[in-house]
Amino acid sequence: PFRLVLNSKCASEMLWHCEHYSGRGLMKHYKSGSEMATAIGTSSETLGSTLAAYNASCEAKKDPFGKPFFRNGPYLMEDSYFVATIEPVVHYSMGGLYVNELAEVLDNNTDKTAAKRISGLWCAGECAGGVHGINRLGGNSLLDCVVFGRVAGTEACKYLLSNVGRLRLNIVASQLGSEVATSAPAVPVVAAIRSEE
């Protein structure tokens, strides 16, 4: 595998990020080159000679891969390291189910203006398509997740409360172990949500 290897000088320039990603299991911290060598399954000698070759490239300001910058050298076996394995991941998926402004899923009519909503089905986040057009602007995932998630939740509650009577809600609540007072209003949760808006 490919690895991002940051010595203590590199890590000090972005320590918050190193600790953040280490805390999420995406980076590992090693107290020495020998500890790193053991963890990645190579010998200390092999890693030491690799670091020595890299250090020579740093001094020459030239390496076989055409790297233009060589900051924060040398890389020494006695130093500490933050290491991340580099692997392909899906950052964001474009596409998905077409939705309208109420996060309702639309049928498969390719003409979105003629598409009909599918009653009782909502979607938000990356499974919703057609929200951004052909290019998503960075940071707009919040639109998918938060805004359409809230819209979908609100619309699903409206649907549930308009299509399922109070008696049925009381049965569901009692099966979940909740007590529902007979004098409680028919829509206590939605009323509480709306009063906060």
Side-chain angles (χ1 to χ4, degrees):
F2 292 97
R3 291 182 178 88
L4 170 68
V5 178
L6 304 175
N7 66 5
S8 61
K9 290 179 184 176
C10 288
S12 69
E13 292 186 7
M14 57 183 115
L15 189 57
W16 184 91
H17 297 283
C18 294
E19 290 172 347
H20 172 79
Y21 290 118
S22 293
R24 281 154 182 73
L26 299 172
M27 280 190 120
K28 299 208 185 238
H29 182 253
Y30 301 108
K31 295 177 183 170
S32 69
S34 296
E35 187 179 328
M36 176 175 55
T38 301
I40 67 173
T42 193
S43 69
S44 291
E45 293 76 22
T46 300
L47 181 60
S49 65
T50 301
L51 294 179
Y54 181 75
N55 290 334
S57 293
C58 286
E59 288 178 27
K61 305 242 186 280
K62 182 179 180 184
D63 80 346
F65 305 103
K67 182 178 173 180
F69 303 106
F70 299 91
R71 294 180 51 178
N72 298 316
Y75 280 65
L76 305 172
M77 289 297 288
E78 301 78 31
D79 202 352
S80 63
Y81 291 91
F82 279 93
V83 178
T85 301
I86 307 301
E87 53 193 350
V89 295
V90 175
H91 169 67
Y92 186 86
S93 297
M94 291 291 285
L97 303 170
Y98 273 122
V99 295
N100 64 15
E101 70 280 359
L102 298 176
E104 296 170 305
V105 175
L106 303 176
D107 66 16
N108 64 355
N109 190 327
T110 54
D111 177 7
K112 193 172 177 183
T113 59
K116 294 183 175 84
R117 68 182 184 87
I118 299 172
S119 181
L121 184 60
W122 297 267
C123 135
E126 290 187 41
C127 62
V131 176
H132 301 292
I134 61 170
N135 188 17
R136 177 187 68 92
L137 298 174
N140 279 359
S141 296
L142 290 176
L143 174 69
D144 288 344
C145 301
V146 177
V147 175
F148 274 97
R150 185 173 178 166
V151 168
T154 300
E155 293 303 313
C157 284
K158 286 181 189 175
Y159 176 85
L160 177 68
L161 294 172
S162 67
N163 290 299
V164 178
R166 179 176 178 190
L167 176 62
R168 191 176 245 175
L169 288 177
N170 287 340
I171 292 169
V172 171
S174 67
Q175 289 176 351
L176 295 174
S178 300
E179 294 180 19
V180 178
T182 56
S183 62
V187 290
V189 175
V190 174
I193 291 171
R194 288 191 179 141
S195 68
E196 293 173 5
E197 291 179 345

